Amino acid sequence: MTASRCANVRWWRWRRNPLRRRSDVLEAWIVLAGWVLALLAGLLAGLGAAAAVEADADRRRAESRAVSAVLAENAEGEVLARVGSDQRVWATVRWTAPDGSTRTDEVRVVPGTPAGDRVTVWTDRSGALTAAPVGAGEARLHAALLGVLASASVGGVVLGAAWLVRARLDRRRMEQWDAEWERIDTRWGRKTG
């Protein structure tokens, strides 16, 4: 005895077939539209997110400026030997803001740096301390990663919505099928199950 094989017929929902239902064609269009919209929306979201990250990095680089600050105290302290530590300690520094006022704050410096040494700090337009701006390469990496994440997220949401519509369509088909079996069983004079 040989096993029978099922033929996989492509595009069967669009071909003329006496067994094809209107809901089959509707489901085929839902699947096609879901994939196309997921690809397009994901692409646009990814490109938009990447452009926004690049623009933000450019803006931060334009607004930040390197300022020479003077160490107000000796940078002493024990450096904890742990993985990922950059081996620096907190110390108070003093610098001049763009408006001419003297500012002080704490920054991380190399341990053992004596008071009076100059260190470079980054400030914003108002003279407040800020983090060093990311370089062009790091900004591109951040933009690419966020673009991929945004693209996958938006594409997944669109595909999830298409799946929900298909699930609702399947539920409706099952309800119609159940009603049809109920009608046929009643006509035959008996009830199954």
Side-chain angles (χ1 to χ4, degrees), residues 46-71:
L47 290 175
V53 169
E54 287 272 356
D56 184 57
D58 289 342
R59 179 187 58 78
R60 286 180 187 226
R61 275 195 297 270
E63 290 178 355
S64 298
R65 65 184 188 109
V67 175
S68 180
V70 176
L71 208 56

Side-chain angles (χ1 to χ4, degrees), residues 181-182 185-186 188-193:
W181 272 110
E182 185 71 31
D185 276 353
T186 305
W188 287 345
R190 63 180 188 269
K191 281 195 156 248
T192 59

Side-chain angles (χ1 to χ4, degrees), residues 20 22 37 44 53 61-62 76 83-84 99 113 117 119 132 146 176-177 181-182 190:
R20 182 186 71 181
R22 201 175 92 202
L37 284 175
L44 291 176
V53 169
R61 275 195 297 270
E76 297 175 357
V83 178
D99 62 2
T113 307
D117 271 11
V119 293
L146 190 65
Q176 289 173 344
W177 195 21
W181 272 110
E182 185 71 31
R190 63 180 188 269

Side-chain angles (χ1 to χ4, degrees), residues 8 14 26 61 69 116 135 156 159 165 168:
N8 189 6
W14 279 289
L26 182 60
R61 275 195 297 270
L159 287 177
V165 170
R168 177 64 185 130

Side-chain angles (χ1 to χ4, degrees), residues 79-90 107-111:
V79 177
L80 299 176
R82 55 183 164 179
V83 178
S85 175
D86 61 355
Q87 306 295 320
R88 295 188 296 168
V89 294
W90 290 98
V107 296
R108 293 184 62 133
V109 296
V110 177

Side-chain angles (χ1 to χ4, degrees), residues 68-137:
S68 180
V70 176
L71 208 56
E73 62 184 14
N74 290 333
E76 297 175 357
E78 288 185 25
V79 177
L80 299 176
R82 55 183 164 179
V83 178
S85 175
D86 61 355
Q87 306 295 320
R88 295 188 296 168
V89 294
W90 290 98
T92 304
V93 294
R94 187 175 39 254
W95 72 97
T96 304
D99 62 2
S101 64
T102 301
R103 306 259 181 109
T104 59
D105 205 344
E106 287 190 344
V107 296
R108 293 184 62 133
V109 296
V110 177
T113 307
D117 271 11
R118 294 207 168 268
V119 293
T120 302
V121 295
W122 289 88
T123 61
D124 59 12
R125 289 182 183 191
S126 66
L129 282 182
T130 185
V134 296

